[in-house]
C-alpha cells in the first residue's frame, strides 16, 4: 500500500521487484478543505488516474481504479461539487500472475457485475461502501468491513431484515450477505431519492410519521441507561455523575413504552424526492428499546447545528425539546405511541438524545474521550446544567 503525496505521483520502479500487487492513492480531503485547494488536487488526481488507466506502469496492469468520494456537510449542487473535488482515489495494480483481488471475489459472491471502476465511499463507521449493478440489472449498495470489527455490516443488515418483516417500508432491503477472506459484506437495495439540502417542516413531519410506525416493545427503554454507561466507561472523570444520571433516568422511565430507534437521524441519512421522504438509511445506531421521540429531537436539533455550525453542547443548551417546532413536528407522533409530551417527558428526551449522540461519537471517534476542547464543548456544560 503506497500513499502518494498531494501531487499524486507514484513511481512503480521504486517498488521491490518481488511485489506482485500494489494499491496506491490518497484518501479524500477532509470536509474543511476549501474550493481552490480541492480543485487543484482534483486536477492532479484526474491526470494521475488517466495515466493509471492508459499508460503502462512497468510490469503491472491496472486491476481497478476507484474514486473515494469526499465529504461535505452541505447538500445540493454545492455539496455534490465539493464531494467530487475533494475525492480521493485508489489504484490497484497487479502483475499477470497475481491472484484475483479480494474486491472482485466479493463482487462475484454478491452477484455484482464488476467492482473494477466502482467509486468507493468510506463510511463514518469505518466500512467501505460501493454502489454496484447486480447481474439482474438492479442497483445495490455493497458494504464491506473486517468481520467482527465495529464496522462489520452484518448485525445491522440482519436487524434491517427483521424490521422489514414488521412491515416498515422505505428502508433498504437486504439482497445478500457473506464473508470473504475475513471481510464481512452485505448488499442492500438502493433506495430512490437524494439527500435533502435542508430538513423542512413537512419533511420532519414525514419523518415523524415514519418513526410512529417503528415497532414498540412492551418494556421500558434501556438505551438511555446503556448509552450513559458506555460514556461513563470512557470518561472516567465524569463517571460518577454519569452513573447517577443513568440511575435517575432509569427510575423515571418505568412507565414509558420503548420503541425501536434509528439513532442517527439527520438529513444525511434521509433520501427525498419531490419533497417527500423516500428512504431512511444507515441503521448502525439502531436500538430496539429506545426512548420514543428521541430520533425526532435529534433530527431537528442536528438540522439547527448544521445550519448554524453549532456543537452538540451549544444546541443542547438552547433546549430544542422546548422549541415550538419540536412540538409541531411531534404533534401526531405522541398519540401514536400512547404518550403526551409533558415537561417531565421532555427532560427525559433531552438526556436520551444527548446520551445517544455522545456515545455514538465516542464509539466512532474514541480519541474524543481525551480531547479537552470536545469535552468542554459537549460534556461539561450539559452535565453542569443537568446537575
Ligand atoms: N440503501 C441506500 N440507498 C441509497 N442511498 C444510500 C443507501 N445507503 C446509503 N446511501 C447513501 O450513501 C450515504 C452514506 O451511507 P451511510 O450508510 O449513511 O454511511 P455513513 O454515514 O457511515 O457514511 C448516505 O448518506 C446515502 O446518501
Ligand atoms: Mg450516514
Amino acid at each position: 500500500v503506497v500513499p502518494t503525496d498531494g501531487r499524486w505521483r507514484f513511481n512503480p520502479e521504486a517498488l521491490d521487484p518481488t511485489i506482485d500487487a500494489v494499491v496506491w492513492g490518497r484518501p479524500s480531503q477532509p470536509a474543511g478543505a476549501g474550493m481552490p485547494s480541492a480543485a487543484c488536487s482534483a486536477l492532479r488526481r484526474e491526470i494521475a488516474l488517466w495515466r493509471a488507466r492508459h499508460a503502462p506502469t512497468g510490469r503491472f496492469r491496472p486491476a481497478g481504479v476507484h474514486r473515494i468520494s469526499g465529504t461535505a456537510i452541505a447538500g445540493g449542487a454545492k455539496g455534490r461539487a465539493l464531494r467530487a473535488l475533494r475525492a480521493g482515489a485508489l489504484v490497484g495494480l497487479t502483475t499477470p500472475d497475481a491472484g484475483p483481488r479480494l474486491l472482485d471475489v466479493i463482487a462475484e459472491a454478491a452477484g455484482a457485475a464488476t467492482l473494477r471502476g466502482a467509486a468507493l465511499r468510506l463510511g463514518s463507521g469505518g466500512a467501505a461502501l460501493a454502489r454496484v449493478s447486480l447481474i439482474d440489472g438492479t442497483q445495490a449498495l455493497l458494504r464491506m468491513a473486517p468481520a467482527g470489527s465495529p464496522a462489520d455490516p452484518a448485525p445491522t443488515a440482519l436487524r434491517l431484515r427483521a424490521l422489514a418483516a414488521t412491515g416498515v417500508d422505505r428502508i433498504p432491503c437486504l439482497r445478500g450477505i457473506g464473508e470473504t477472506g475475513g471481510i464481512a459484506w452485505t448488499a442492500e437495495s438502493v433506495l430512490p431519492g437524494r439527500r435533502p439540502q435542508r430538513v423542512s417542516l413537512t419533511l420532519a413531519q414525514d419523518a415523524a410519521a415514519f418513526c410512529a410506525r417503528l415497532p414498540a416493545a412492551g418494556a421500558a427503554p434501556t438505551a438511555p441507561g446503556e448509552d450513559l454507561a458506555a460514556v461513563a466507561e470512557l470518561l472516567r472523570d465524569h463517571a460518577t455523575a454519569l452513573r447517577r444520571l443513568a440511575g435517575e433516568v432509569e427510575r423515571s422511565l418505568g412507565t414509558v413504552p420503548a420503541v425501536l430507534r434509528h439513532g442517527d437521524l439527520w438529513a444525511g441519512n434521509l433520501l427525498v424526492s419531490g419533497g417527500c421522504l423516500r428512504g431512511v438509511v444507515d441503521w448502525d445506531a439502531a436500538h430496539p428499546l429506545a426512548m420514543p421521540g428521541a430520533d425526532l429531537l435529534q433530527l431537528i436539533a442536528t438540522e439547527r447545528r448544521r445550519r448554524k455550525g453549532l456543537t452538540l453542547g451549544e444546541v443542547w443548551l438552547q433546549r430544542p425539546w422546548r422549541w415550538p417546532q419540536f412540538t409541531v413536528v411531534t404533534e401526531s407522533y405522541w398519540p401514536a405511541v400512547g404518550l403526551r409530551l409533558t415537561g417531565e417527558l421532555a427532560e427525559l428526551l433531552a438526556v436520551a438524545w444527548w446520551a445517544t449522540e455522545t456515545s455514538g461519537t465516542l464509539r466512532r471517534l474514541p480519541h474524543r474521550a481525551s480531547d479537552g476542547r470536545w469535552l468542554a464543548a459537549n460534556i461539561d456544560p450539559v452535565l453542569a446544567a443537568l446537575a
Side-chain angles (χ1 to χ4, degrees):
V1 176
V2 184
T4 57
D5 62 11
R7 307 182 72 85
W8 288 89
R9 282 176 307 199
F10 169 71
N11 177 13
E13 305 306 327
L15 292 175
D16 180 327
T18 62
I19 286 175
D20 62 1
V22 59
V23 176
W24 68 269
R26 271 176 79 68
S28 56
Q29 292 190 324
M35 229 6 145
S37 107
C40 185
S41 169
L43 183 63
R44 293 202 168 108
R45 178 192 68 218
E46 291 311 309
I47 294 170
L49 294 188
W50 188 90
R51 279 211 189 106
R53 283 201 193 91
H54 298 103
T57 323
R59 60 209 161 88
F60 294 108
R61 291 198 301 224
V65 175
H66 307 276
R67 282 191 180 67
I68 306 173
S69 61
T71 47
I73 310 287
K78 183 178 175 203
R80 282 197 296 279
L82 275 170
R83 270 193 287 277
L85 288 178
R86 288 174 184 154
L90 287 179
V91 178
L93 300 172
T94 54
T95 55
D97 39 291
R101 292 192 318 157
L102 190 50
L103 272 179
D104 296 327
V105 180
I106 292 174
E108 196 184 331
T114 175
L115 252 175
R116 286 173 69 90
L120 295 176
R121 187 190 156 93
L122 302 182
S124 52
L129 279 61
R131 209 171 149 148
V132 294
S133 300
L134 297 184
I135 290 166
D136 66 6
T138 59
Q139 294 273 301
L141 193 80
L142 204 54
R143 295 179 187 262
M144 298 163 277
S149 73
D152 185 329
T156 303
L158 296 174
R159 242 185 272 139
L160 269 178
R161 186 151 73 181
L163 186 55
T166 70
V168 172
D169 60 353
R170 293 177 284 181
I171 58 173
C173 161
L174 184 62
R175 303 287 313 273
I177 181 164
E179 193 183 314
T180 309
I183 300 296
W185 57 265
T186 62
E188 69 188 45
S189 60
V190 169
L191 298 175
R194 281 215 158 146
R195 172 196 279 227
Q197 199 161 2
R198 55 187 288 269
V199 177
S200 64
L201 185 66
T202 7
L203 177 55
Q205 283 168 326
D206 254 12
F210 173 85
C211 288
R213 302 202 4 227
L214 293 176
T222 59
E226 288 167 29
D227 287 339
L228 289 170
V231 177
E233 204 48 49
L234 291 165
L235 306 184
R236 299 274 162 191
D237 291 350
H238 297 288
T240 314
L242 287 161
R243 295 221 167 88
R244 187 173 339 109
L245 184 59
E248 282 168 23
V249 168
E250 236 152 69
R251 278 189 293 282
S252 321
L253 280 173
T255 58
V256 175
V259 298
L260 184 127
R261 77 165 184 212
H262 178 276
D264 191 11
L265 204 65
W266 70 288
N269 289 330
L270 302 181
L271 295 166
V272 169
S273 79
C276 295
L277 182 65
R278 301 296 301 273
V280 181
V281 300
D282 195 1
W283 288 78
D284 278 354
H287 191 297
L289 295 172
M291 176 75 195
D295 275 341
L296 297 168
L297 181 57
Q298 181 175 44
L299 180 66
I300 287 168
T302 308
E303 181 64 10
R304 175 74 63 94
R305 284 180 63 188
R306 265 173 14 110
R307 296 269 197 84
K308 308 267 174 193
L310 301 177
T311 62
L312 173 67
E314 283 169 326
V315 83
W316 194 92
L317 291 174
Q318 294 183 2
R319 302 194 154 59
W321 53 93
R322 293 187 195 157
W323 292 346
Q325 189 197 359
F326 181 63
T327 314
V328 172
V329 165
T330 56
E331 203 172 350
S332 0
Y333 176 79
W334 298 117
V337 294
L339 285 171
R340 218 162 48 81
L341 179 59
T342 60
E344 198 192 346
L345 187 75
E347 301 295 320
L348 286 170
L349 269 170
V351 177
W353 158 57
W354 177 75
T356 302
E357 293 273 10
T358 45
S359 66
T361 300
L362 288 168
R363 195 178 54 237
R364 281 193 306 264
L365 309 165
H367 61 273
R368 291 276 195 256
S370 51
D371 175 345
R373 271 179 51 187
W374 184 80
L375 296 169
N378 302 300
I379 304 292
D380 305 339
V382 174
L383 283 179
L386 284 169

